[in-house]
Amino acid sequence: MRESLALVSSQNMAFTDCMKPTELSTDKKGLKRKNWRNKIRFLLKSNSSQSIVNQKKNRSYRPTADDTHQWAQSLDKLLSHKYGKAAFCIFLKSEFCEENIEFWTACEDFRTLTSHKELASKANNIYEEFIKNEAPKEINLDFHTKNAIAQSLHEPNPDSFLAAQRKVYSLMENNSYPRFIYSDLYRELCAAARGRGQAH
């Protein structure tokens, strides 16, 4: 019985990670599309006044057609690429659910810390920003996971947020990520990357 309740609860969470498009007015949809278009242009902008040496040096930092194709293969490949992650962040902001990627990134950084003092300080910051009830960027977690994190704050270790991080990753992988891959933003990125590839 408990397992079936957990399943229903996790299914409900999958639909609440972001605002639904129907909750936005048409004006806001137009505004957010304009905002992400401007951010993507900035992300992809190549300065024509740069020297050829600088262009060659910077080219590896801009997404290629192969990069954008790989992003569609898995969320892991998307997040492991600097521009893929940046594009996904822009998309999540346009859907008003950037707290998920911000929490996931904070957890990745947290797991690299080694000193107990740093772990304790960062653990409290993450808890205050993302976990506690009414946190400024509260993520959607069940009571059991939130409680386990609260208990671990007394003696934090690099895996203190691992269960929550996995839940948020799964939420993004099953919900936000497929929407990103089918979004206008992703199609524009692919088209821009293909265009640059043909130009060289």
Side-chain angles (χ1 to χ4, degrees):
M1 178 70 180
R2 187 175 290 167
E3 285 178 12
S4 64
L5 284 173
L7 181 64
V8 170
S9 171
S10 70
Q11 285 174 339
N12 288 341
M13 276 184 12
F15 295 108
T16 58
D17 73 327
C18 302
M19 257 180 122
K20 292 173 184 62
T22 53
E23 294 172 7
L24 297 171
S25 69
T26 311
D27 289 347
K28 278 190 178 175
K29 278 191 210 173
L31 182 63
K32 72 178 187 173
R33 180 168 285 123
K34 184 180 176 188
N35 285 344
W36 67 244
R37 282 215 169 106
N38 288 339
K39 288 176 181 175
I40 288 298
R41 280 193 194 102
F42 179 76
L43 192 68
L44 297 173
K45 189 168 78 174
S46 59
N47 190 340
S48 57
S49 66
Q50 284 181 318
S51 72
I52 290 171
V53 173
N54 280 343
Q55 284 181 0
K56 282 183 179 174
K57 192 169 75 176
N58 290 336
R59 191 179 303 151
S60 62
Y61 295 104
R62 292 210 175 80
T64 64
D66 186 50
D67 290 332
T68 57
H69 175 71
Q70 283 188 21
W71 299 348
Q73 292 174 15
S74 73
L75 178 58
D76 202 42
K77 287 193 176 179
L78 175 70
L79 295 179
S80 66
H81 191 280
K82 176 184 170 184
Y83 279 97
K85 186 176 170 187
F88 191 51
C89 285
I90 291 167
F91 175 75
L92 291 177
K93 280 182 180 171
S94 78
E95 295 217 326
F96 304 99
C97 57
E98 67 269 23
E99 68 279 356
N100 290 330
I101 190 70
E102 289 176 10
F103 171 73
W104 183 86
T105 302
C107 291
E108 287 291 285
D109 294 342
F110 179 78
R111 287 169 52 199
T112 66
L113 301 176
T114 51
S115 97
H116 181 73
K117 189 177 177 182
E118 284 180 323
L119 281 169
S121 173
K122 183 78 170 171
N124 279 312
N125 290 345
I126 292 173
Y127 181 80
E128 291 292 320
E129 190 171 3
F130 299 103
I131 308 294
K132 75 173 188 177
N133 290 334
E134 306 297 323
K137 297 179 181 179
E138 186 177 1
I139 54 169
N140 197 345
L141 291 173
D142 58 274
F143 172 79
H144 174 73
T145 306
K146 282 186 170 193
N147 198 39
I149 291 169
Q151 298 297 317
S152 77
L153 291 177
H154 303 297
E155 281 296 322
N157 65 68
D159 293 333
S160 291
F161 296 97
L162 193 56
Q165 186 183 15
R166 284 180 176 152
K167 286 175 192 249
V168 166
Y169 183 92
S170 177
L171 206 62
M172 293 191 297
E173 185 175 43
N174 294 314
N175 197 346
S176 309
Y177 172 66
R179 286 201 307 273
F180 170 73
I181 295 303
Y182 289 105
S183 69
D184 291 343
L185 184 153
Y186 177 68
R187 281 195 290 272
E188 284 196 19
L189 275 168
C190 289
R194 279 195 306 272
R196 267 201 316 281
Q198 289 164 1
H200 295 297

